[in-house]
Amino acid sequence: MDGPLWSVPVAGDWAEQYRSTHGPETLLAGTTFFGNTQPRGLVSDHNRMTEIIRHSIEDEDARNAKRQSARKHEPHDAAATLAWWPAVALTESPGSLFPVSALRTTLIEAVLGGLADDVERARKWGKEEPSLGDVRTDVVKLLDWYIERTPDHTAGLFGEILLIARTRLDLPAQKVAGLLRRSLHLDSAMSGETIDALLEMALPPSAKSPRGC
């Protein structure tokens, strides 16, 4: 007996939602010193902090031969262990000054602010459609930082930008998505292949084509 007709679209929606969340998470994953999988931004922060702490420990051990001998028998790398929770804290609360959710809000408003300027400029000059300028380089760098540390939030971030741009500025999702793609290709530290794969997973179906603005 066939299942209910609504099961197919519901399953499709679930699959799309799962892919948009877990796809970026898998794409931007890295392996930690301890062998587990984490966002590659967190892995990068941990590796960097581990090196800083390791050098500090080595300098201290060089001044204390007894301590240096004792460390040879430690089962784990002390520097990596000590660096882990500071790295996690940096991801969850950058610089311990503000929550990562505040960075998300700032990024959304920064992108929308540029779009609003483009729309206002088009109105001023009597153009029917605005030409969208690239997202500022420093904003793209912050997007990189956010996405690489919270890849599972990428779809939500892009979706909110597209939704507000549509409701507040009457800009089509495809046009704004094209701008995001172009700006990331220009200034992101991620490879072009990674950017395209990420956008394919994280953008809603209505924004995936065409690619240009």
Side-chain angles (χ1 to χ4, degrees), residues 22-150:
H22 294 275
E25 198 172 22
T26 301
L27 178 69
L28 299 178
T31 303
T32 70
F33 172 87
F34 308 109
N36 58 359
T37 301
Q38 295 288 344
R40 73 183 189 187
L42 172 56
V43 173
S44 177
D45 290 340
H46 179 235
N47 291 342
R48 199 158 49 239
M49 289 185 180
T50 296
E51 286 305 305
I52 293 171
I53 294 175
R54 179 177 289 122
H55 289 315
S56 176
I57 290 174
E58 288 172 350
D59 289 344
E60 183 64 25
D61 286 351
R63 293 191 291 269
N64 189 321
K66 184 177 181 180
R67 181 178 298 172
Q68 184 177 27
S69 177
R71 289 199 187 278
K72 292 180 181 179
H73 304 290
E74 290 183 350
H76 303 292
D77 188 313
T81 301
L82 290 170
W84 177 247
W85 287 114
V88 172
L90 179 61
T91 292
E92 293 180 349
S93 183
S96 298
L97 296 177
F98 54 88
V100 73
S101 59
L103 176 58
R104 173 195 171 102
T105 300
T106 301
L107 284 169
I108 292 171
E109 291 303 321
V111 174
L112 290 171
L115 295 174
D117 288 344
D118 293 335
V119 170
E120 181 60 30
R121 190 176 301 109
R123 288 174 181 166
K124 180 179 179 181
W125 293 101
K127 294 183 178 180
E128 291 187 6
E129 292 190 8
S131 298
L132 303 184
D134 298 330
V135 177
R136 287 176 46 172
T137 300
D138 53 354
V139 176
V140 173
K141 297 302 182 186
L142 280 177
L143 278 170
D144 268 4
W145 193 98
Y146 180 89
I147 290 170
E148 290 194 340
R149 285 156 183 80
T150 57

Side-chain angles (χ1 to χ4, degrees), residues 162 172-182 199 203 207 211:
L162 296 176
Q174 290 179 352
K175 193 175 184 69
V176 178
L179 168 66
L180 291 172
R181 184 184 300 275
R182 187 180 74 216
L199 293 176
L203 289 174
R211 291 189 177 186

